[in-house]
Amino acid sequence: MNGNKLYNQFIKSLFILFALIIITPIFFGFIGFFLPSFGYFPVLDKYDFNLSYFIISFEMPGILKSISLSFFTGFCSTILALFFSQLILSYFFNTKTYNYLKYFISPFLALPHITMAVGIIFLFSPSGLFFRLISPWLTGFDRPPNFFIIPDEYGFFLILGLVLKEIPFFILISLSALEQLPTKKIFKIGETLQHSSFSIWAMIIFPLIYKKIRLVIFIVIAFSASVIDMSLLLAPSTPSTLSIRALKAYQSAEFDSIFIASNLALIQLLVIIVLMVCWVFLEKIVQQKHFFLITLNFLSRKKSFFKNILYFTSLTLFSFSILGIACAFLWSIGQNWYFPQFFPESLSIDNILVFFNQNKDIVFVSIYISLIVSLLSLLIIVIWVELTEVLNFKHFYFEWFFFLPLFIPEISFLIGLQSFLIIFNFNSFFIPLIVTELLYIMPYSFIILAPALREVKKDYIKVGSSLGKSRLERLIYIKVPLIIPSIFTAFAIGMIVSLSLYTPVYFIGAGRITTLTVEALNLALSNSRQDLGVATVFQVLIPILILLIVAYFNRKLTKWSF
């Protein structure tokens, strides 16, 4: 009896320790920017709470435009991506293509945000593919025009980049939600009531999808309003978005720079909170009976031309992603590609080989970090789920803290975490970077692995117990084989997300650790088209290669299913 008590106490202590290890960096990441924003930072002998840095922040030239720009781009990109993703799904539903949509979309989900931004630059810049297509026969230009298209003043290209990146994401999570719904039965019922496929999707199916993906939508809102890597390339610079203003303040050599940057980061967080409140208010409006009747009346009318225009716009947006990637491939292998030539004069893989020889350390470091982070994330989530099972938790509301790093703006959280890490004076930047990336990878691993582990049929566990197998043996020989597909999926997603992270590497790596995403952004800012094309190709090929390898081993190791 005493042995059981000691065991239970040990498990409880282990659970608390585990929870503290996860929560502590998140807590200090928040405190690390919240307190300095009010002038409190003991490391620099600042102990007075005041609002002076709020005054300084709001006296900065163009700060209100930066706030409105962050709000506008975050809101518009989210709602447009959600809208067009549902249009594409409704268009392909009940077609043969729908069954293959998941496999076609997955590679686009694997692409980093910066890859999409680079694709837009290759397409829409004055020397881009679209200007080459109409020059000189239409424009009269025999050299790139001397005016700026990207970035634009109002952030439209930033919105376009975010929309192109988030459409595949919303499609995939919507497909996952649809698998849990009797969609075909609902569709048939709608057809018997003389509704068009467009109105059935908008009025019946989409509200059911929305309930299941609502949390993810708020995560997308938080990210879109505070994105850094895309904003550096596509957002206006005079003034830029609030996250870029905070980044530039952080880079400043002035004594008060950390306080101003922290204050701007706090304002960024407040902007996102306001944005989410506005989104909830929009939900309330949409739920009103009058809105429903007006929308139903509008959708029930014969508007095939209008619907076709929307479908065409959705597919055109999606094609921009493909064209941007294709253009990056052409730049990577193109030789002597002068304006206004539509194609390079010759093709060669020399650029790729030279880039790889010069940057192979960066490529291997990127893969190495993502591999370690993904494996650690899997291990942590498995241990966590097993601990909650041993302690027989019935409710798991407290697990929301896993998702906190995704809701807090990157710039805010990482400024705070960097301030916290200063105290430890690490000699190596590798361990802090691993820990930081874990905070961003664990939510994805948790979403995939936790439900899979908890849904393993108890009958199999009981059989293992009756055969005298320990809890560890039941985990290794029963649970793990049953959830192999989920483990491989979580592993692949973890590596892909890690490979795409820019801001954590910039802040925590502090220039000592460089990944492929950081190098690609540096090349984009330096206007080195060929090297940027090659870096983009690597950013496309490595995630796709990971998906293919994982799919291969998943098929080989999963011999049976229940």
Side-chain angles (χ1 to χ4, degrees):
M1 197 71 180
N2 290 332
N4 287 334
K5 284 186 178 180
L6 287 172
Y7 175 75
N8 290 333
Q9 288 177 353
F10 172 74
I11 293 297
K12 287 179 182 178
S13 301
L14 187 62
F15 174 81
I16 294 170
L17 178 63
F18 221 68
L20 286 174
I21 290 172
I22 298 171
I23 293 172
T24 300
I26 298 174
F27 173 76
F28 281 102
F30 177 79
I31 293 298
F33 78 87
F34 183 80
L35 295 181
S37 66
F38 290 94
Y40 183 84
F41 197 41
V43 175
L44 296 179
D45 292 329
K46 289 275 190 173
Y47 298 96
D48 297 327
F49 278 92
N50 56 73
L51 298 176
S52 61
Y53 291 105
F54 280 94
I55 298 171
I56 293 171
S57 294
F58 280 100
E59 287 179 347
M60 294 174 70
I63 188 65
L64 293 179
K65 185 175 180 181
S66 294
I67 292 172
S68 61
L69 189 64
S70 296
F71 187 95
F72 176 68
T73 54
F75 183 84
C76 290
S77 61
T78 304
I79 200 166
L80 287 174
L82 185 61
F83 176 73
F84 286 116
S85 67
Q86 299 308 308
L87 273 178
I88 292 171
L89 281 172
S90 65
Y91 181 80
F92 286 109
F93 191 73
N94 279 338
T95 66
K96 292 182 179 179
T97 307
Y98 179 80
N99 297 325
Y100 302 98
L101 195 59
K102 184 176 183 178
Y103 303 103
F104 181 71
I105 291 291
S106 296
F108 291 95
L109 183 65
L111 303 180
H113 282 76
I114 191 174
T115 302
M116 209 60 70
V118 169
I120 289 173
I121 291 172
F122 282 152
L123 291 178
F124 293 99
S125 66
S127 60
L129 198 66
F130 289 150
F131 263 96
R132 292 170 183 267
L133 182 63
I134 58 175
S135 299
W137 62 273
L138 182 61
T139 62
F141 296 140
D142 57 359
R143 62 183 63 190
N146 189 24
F147 53 77
F148 288 100
I149 299 175
I150 300 177
D152 64 288
E153 185 179 355
Y154 301 102
F156 291 128
F157 278 106
L158 176 58
I159 292 172
L160 176 61
L162 288 166
V163 167
L164 294 182
K165 186 65 182 76
E166 302 304 345
I167 284 176
F169 180 64
F170 278 134
I171 289 176
L172 274 179
I173 62 170
S174 298
L175 285 171
S176 177
L178 286 169
E179 290 175 358
Q180 306 169 37
L181 299 170
T183 314
K184 291 187 178 180
K185 290 182 181 179
I186 295 171
F187 222 88
K188 287 179 181 178
I189 293 171
E191 287 175 337
T192 60
L193 296 173
Q194 304 300 314
H195 288 290
S196 66
S197 60
F198 188 79
S199 61
I200 293 170
W201 196 277
M203 304 306 297
I204 304 174
I205 296 176
F206 174 64
L208 297 175
I209 294 173
Y210 186 86
K211 288 180 181 179
K212 295 183 177 294
I213 66 172
R214 189 168 180 260
L215 175 66
V216 178
I217 290 171
F218 283 113
I219 292 173
V220 171
I221 289 172
F223 177 83
S224 300
S226 60
V227 64
I228 289 182
D229 47 2
M230 265 192 166
S231 297
L232 284 169
L233 299 181
L234 302 178
S237 56
T238 53
S240 191
T241 59
L242 201 54
S243 58
I244 302 302
R245 298 292 292 270
L247 177 65
K248 290 181 178 178
Y250 182 82
Q251 293 172 333
S252 174
E254 295 179 8
F255 177 78
D256 286 346
S257 61
I258 184 65
F259 301 99
I260 297 171
S262 298
N263 193 265
L264 290 172
L266 179 59
I267 295 171
Q268 174 77 78
L269 178 60
L270 295 175
V271 167
I272 288 175
I273 291 172
V274 171
L275 191 51
M276 290 181 178
V277 170
C278 291
W279 190 273
V280 172
F281 181 70
L282 181 63
E283 288 178 341
K284 300 296 182 184
I285 294 174
V286 172
Q287 289 170 2
Q288 296 297 312
K289 183 175 74 172
H290 297 296
F291 183 88
F292 177 83
L293 292 174
I294 292 169
T295 308
L296 184 63
N297 182 52
F298 176 78
L299 292 175
S300 62
R301 296 177 183 176
K302 298 282 185 180
K303 293 182 178 291
S304 58
F305 177 76
F306 175 70
K307 293 172 187 175
N308 289 335
I309 289 292
L310 287 177
Y311 287 138
F312 177 76
T313 304
S314 303
L315 296 175
T316 301
L317 284 173
F318 200 72
S319 68
F320 285 161
S321 304
I322 300 172
L323 283 173
I325 294 167
C327 198
F329 270 94
L330 280 177
W331 271 107
S332 68
I333 59 176
Q335 301 285 337
N336 302 323
W337 195 2
Y338 301 112
F339 189 89
Q341 295 172 343
F342 191 71
F343 286 105
E345 291 182 3
S346 60
L347 302 176
S348 172
I349 62 168
D350 290 345
N351 294 334
I352 296 176
L353 296 176
V354 170
F355 180 89
F356 180 75
N357 286 330
Q358 293 177 347
N359 299 278
K360 56 180 177 291
D361 290 342
I362 293 176
V363 175
F364 291 138
V365 164
S366 302
I367 296 172
Y368 180 63
I369 290 173
S370 64
L371 183 65
I372 290 177
V373 171
S374 188
L375 289 173
L376 283 175
S377 180
L378 292 179
L379 183 63
I380 289 170
I381 299 303
V382 170
I383 293 173
W384 175 267
V385 173
E386 283 298 298
L387 286 173
T388 57
E389 185 178 311
V390 172
L391 294 172
N392 198 26
F393 282 113
K394 301 297 182 183
H395 303 287
F396 303 99
Y397 300 117
F398 57 89
E399 292 178 338
W400 57 267
F401 67 80
F402 274 108
F403 301 93
L404 272 178
L406 300 183
F407 283 103
I408 302 174
E410 278 187 319
I411 186 71
S412 308
F413 182 69
L414 290 169
I415 284 176
L417 197 59
Q418 176 73 352
S419 302
F420 170 64
L421 291 173
I422 289 173
I423 300 170
F424 294 95
N425 193 25
F426 282 104
N427 292 323
S428 171
F429 293 88
F430 184 75
I431 294 174
L433 180 59
I434 293 293
V435 172
T436 304
E437 288 204 4
L438 267 173
L439 298 175
Y440 286 97
I441 308 303
M442 282 193 297
Y444 299 97
S445 299
F446 182 85
I447 288 173
I448 298 167
L449 275 185
L453 277 167
R454 286 168 179 162
E455 288 171 7
V456 171
K457 292 181 179 179
K458 301 301 180 185
D459 295 341
Y460 302 136
I461 308 302
K462 289 178 181 177
V463 171
S465 299
S466 66
L467 295 173
K469 300 298 182 183
S470 66
R471 180 171 291 277
L472 181 60
E473 288 175 321
R474 295 197 299 269
L475 172 65
I476 295 173
Y477 297 114
I478 298 177
K479 287 187 178 180
V480 169
L482 287 172
I483 63 164
I484 279 290
S486 297
I487 290 174
F488 276 119
T489 302
F491 173 74
I493 295 296
M495 284 197 70
I496 289 167
V497 172
S498 175
L499 285 166
S500 67
L501 290 175
Y502 166 77
T503 317
V505 180
Y506 175 83
F507 275 93
I508 310 302
R512 307 292 180 90
I513 299 175
T514 302
T515 61
L516 199 54
T517 300
V518 175
E519 185 65 18
L521 185 62
N522 292 336
L523 291 169
L525 293 173
S526 67
N527 290 320
S528 177
R529 290 295 178 92
Q530 284 189 333
D531 286 343
L532 177 58
V534 177
T536 304
V537 167
F538 277 105
Q539 284 194 300
V540 171
L541 291 180
I542 292 174
I544 291 176
L545 189 61
I546 290 170
L547 288 176
L548 291 174
I549 292 171
V550 165
Y552 172 79
F553 280 105
N554 190 15
R555 183 173 296 181
K556 284 289 184 182
L557 294 177
T558 308
K559 300 295 184 182
W560 35 261
S561 61
F562 290 89

